Amino acid sequence: MRILMVVLVAGLLATGGCAGAGSGSQDGSGPAGPVDPGSGPQAGLVELRVAVATSLAEDFPAVEQGFEARNPSIEVLVVGEDESAEVVVTDEPVAVAAGEVETIGQLRVVLVDGAGAEAAAFVEFLRDGEGRRILIDSGVLRP
């Protein structure tokens, strides 16, 4: 499984997983606060692709809904492990050449290089926010 994750992440990066462009937060709060895509040419709903391990997929809709409620201008698209994404969430050890790996409990969360402010806000939501509470309540994380 470890080799599969290494191959998967390498494939994600090779197929454009690092092509995300962030819009930043206009309220100055950065990744910790709600992200506003602004009123420029990309005004409206911003898509954030999050690749989730199959073993976590059952518990992730609550995380997705919680993040979208806090950030109504961002639509989280949860995709499979083998699809390109700006954030990868797995419960397996992972080696990444181009991205930040953060350990949150037993989860490995990869913020793919080049991902925007939306992806950074999602990782922070899992680390410090309501997302962590949702994962604890579902039994994915231990308090």
Side-chain angles (χ1 to χ4, degrees):
M1 187 68 171
R2 183 177 295 172
I3 293 172
L4 174 63
M5 287 306 301
V6 171
V7 171
L8 167 69
V9 172
L12 288 172
L13 296 173
T15 60
C18 56
S23 59
S25 175
Q26 290 187 353
D27 66 1
S29 63
V35 177
D36 180 1
S39 58
Q42 293 187 13
L45 210 55
V46 176
E47 291 182 351
L48 172 64
R49 295 177 60 85
V50 179
V52 177
T54 305
S55 59
L56 303 171
E58 183 178 309
D59 298 305
F60 238 75
V63 174
E64 174 186 357
Q65 292 166 1
F67 182 78
E68 289 174 345
R70 181 172 175 171
N71 299 278
S73 62
I74 301 173
E75 180 181 3
V76 176
L77 301 174
V78 176
V79 298
E81 294 177 88
D82 58 343
E83 296 184 52
S84 67
E86 296 164 293
V87 179
V88 178
V89 181
T90 184
D91 52 359
E92 294 289 328
V94 63
V96 173
E100 288 183 48
V101 179
E102 184 167 339
T103 302
I104 301 173
Q106 65 271 24
L107 298 181
R108 306 303 179 275
V109 180
V110 180
L111 179 61
V112 176
D113 280 350
E118 297 84 10
F122 186 82
V123 172
E124 187 158 330
F125 180 75
L126 292 177
R127 179 187 339 108
D128 300 322
E130 183 183 338
R132 182 178 185 92
R133 173 60 43 204
I134 292 168
L135 291 170
I136 289 170
D137 290 346
S138 68
V140 172
L141 292 178
R142 294 185 187 105

